[in-house]
Amino acid sequence: MLFRSGTSQTVKVVTYENLTLSGTTPTMAVTNVSGNFVTSGTVSVTTGANLAVGGNLTVSNGTTLTTGANFTLSVTGTTDASGNLALSNTGTKSFTGLVTISSTGNVTSASTGGLTFTGGLTINSSGQFSDAGGSTIAFANNFTNNSGSTINTGTGAVNFTVSSNVAGNSATTFGGNVTITGTINVTNTNSATVTITGALNGTVSGSIWIQGANSDTVILQTATAPFATNGRFDGTTNTPNTVEYNVGGTQTIEGTPSTYWHLMLGGTGAKTANTAFTVNGNFTIGGTASFNGGTSLTQTFLGNWIVSTGVGSSPYTYTTGGTINFNTPASPASTGISGSSS
């Protein structure tokens, strides 16, 4: 069914097999489109009821689809956002198929209801995504940012519920807590920087964050140690990669399991080890940060120390005792200690 008019129309409330809206600003309280739902032309429409789309959703360039009041939106097929998809107010929004934001697309969430991307979310070059509402986001597939700019998921929690990739070529910031749910792997294959502002945790011991080969950096910006409750980092399956602790204040360095590739400390304050660990690659202390080796722990460094901190005192301290091992394997690598601080 096609509705097209230069003036406002009221869309009859029935179940549509396929529905296309074109024109200006129709009024719509439709609850069920069993097939495909398309906005085209210059139409701007706000849903007036809970809406379920059984096929694909297409928000064409130049159009706007807004969820009204406290209404839910569910899409079984794929979603192509080439126009503006505004997820407003409360009410859950769930997308079973892949959601693709094109170069002209903009998906905004001012909703406090949950967002679920079962088929994943891909943001193409110049596409935009934001979550100012702070809603909880669930990913059951890959989250790919190729937008060319930093995408921030907002302050709401992000939950990964199946093994997925954090992929793409553009910086991504998780502004809230990130939880890996169950015995699954979340692999960072993003070639730019991934920043986690909240706590990174798992629900079971098999919840694993894996750094991908040649992935740039994952930056941890919370005082809480990652995987403080359950789960762990894997920085050795794919190499090289970098983990950076960088916050304006003290942080705890997670050492379970005990191996990093490149490890960087930045921001300010002491970064304190809670267990023994090994750094296979380079260990860098920058900003005005310092490294506290913890309580009676042994830390092993197989690569270079690069100390360029402006902390103004010794960049290395320990709480009670402490051992630093350089080049302990049978065939030691070359280790250099360099930088601008002593």
Side-chain angles (χ1 to χ4, degrees):
M1 176 69 71
L2 170 63
F3 285 83
R4 178 168 55 199
S5 174
T7 60
S8 180
Q9 287 181 299
T10 298
V11 181
K12 186 176 181 179
V13 180
V14 296
T15 296
Y16 291 90
E17 181 175 357
N18 294 294
L19 177 62
T20 298
L21 301 180
S22 178
T24 52
T25 55
T27 301
M28 188 185 80
V30 172
T31 60
N32 189 14
V33 179
S34 62
N36 300 328
F37 179 34
V38 178
T39 61
S40 67
T42 58
V43 70
S44 178
V45 60
T46 300
T47 61
N50 296 334
L51 175 61
V53 178
N56 301 326
L57 172 63
T58 301
V59 182
S60 301
N61 185 18
T63 71
T64 299
L65 174 63
T66 303
T67 56
N70 301 321
F71 302 132
T72 62
L73 172 65
S74 64
V75 182
T76 301
T78 62
T79 297
D80 177 7
S82 296
N84 299 311
L85 176 58
L87 306 173
S88 303
N89 304 297
T90 59
T92 59
K93 281 74 178 177
S94 59
F95 302 89
T96 304
L98 174 65
V99 175
T100 302
I101 305 175
S102 75
S103 61
T104 57
N106 186 17
V107 175
T108 60
S109 175
S111 173
T112 55
L115 296 177
T116 300
F117 297 100
T118 304
L121 173 63
T122 295
I123 308 167
N124 289 331
S125 178
S126 299
Q128 293 295 319
F129 172 84
S130 63
D131 181 21
S135 57
T136 297
I137 302 175
F139 288 104
N141 214 310
N142 300 334
F143 175 29
T144 303
N145 178 18
N146 290 322
S147 68
S149 60
T150 300
I151 294 296
N152 193 323
T153 62
T155 58
V158 172
N159 300 321
F160 289 92
T161 59
V162 302
S163 291
S164 307
N165 293 333
V166 178
N169 58 21
S170 303
T172 299
T173 297
F174 296 101
N177 295 336
V178 175
T179 301
I180 302 173
T181 304
T183 304
I184 63 171
N185 299 331
V186 175
T187 303
N188 174 24
T189 62
N190 193 306
S191 60
T193 299
V194 174
T195 301
I196 301 174
T197 301
L200 173 61
N201 219 329
T203 60
V204 296
S205 60
S207 303
I208 304 173
W209 177 283
I210 300 175
Q211 285 289 88
N214 298 312
S215 60
D216 187 41
T217 302
V218 58
I219 300 177
L220 306 174
Q221 291 188 329
T222 179
T224 304
F227 301 108
T229 304
N230 279 301
R232 64 182 177 87
F233 269 120
D234 179 347
T236 58
T237 296
N238 307 299
T239 59
N241 62 76
T242 302
V243 175
E244 179 177 353
Y245 290 80
N246 187 323
V247 74
T250 59
Q251 285 181 284
T252 300
I253 302 171
E254 175 59 36
T256 304
S258 57
T259 305
Y260 292 89
W261 193 259
H262 298 311
L263 177 62
M264 300 179 67
L265 310 181
T268 65
K271 317 303 179 184
T272 302
N274 66 356
T275 59
F277 61 77
T278 297
V279 179
N280 285 336
N282 295 330
F283 177 60
T284 302
I285 308 175
T288 56
S290 62
F291 171 49
N292 186 312
T295 302
S296 302
L297 299 176
T298 298
Q299 316 298 346
T300 300
F301 300 91
L302 308 184
N304 300 314
W305 268 46
I306 303 169
V307 183
S308 300
T309 178
V311 69
S313 61
S314 174
Y316 169 68
T317 60
Y318 55 84
T319 303
T320 304
T323 301
I324 297 294
N325 286 335
F326 292 102
N327 292 335
T328 57
S331 300
S334 174
T335 295
I337 300 177
S338 64
S340 58
S341 302
S342 60

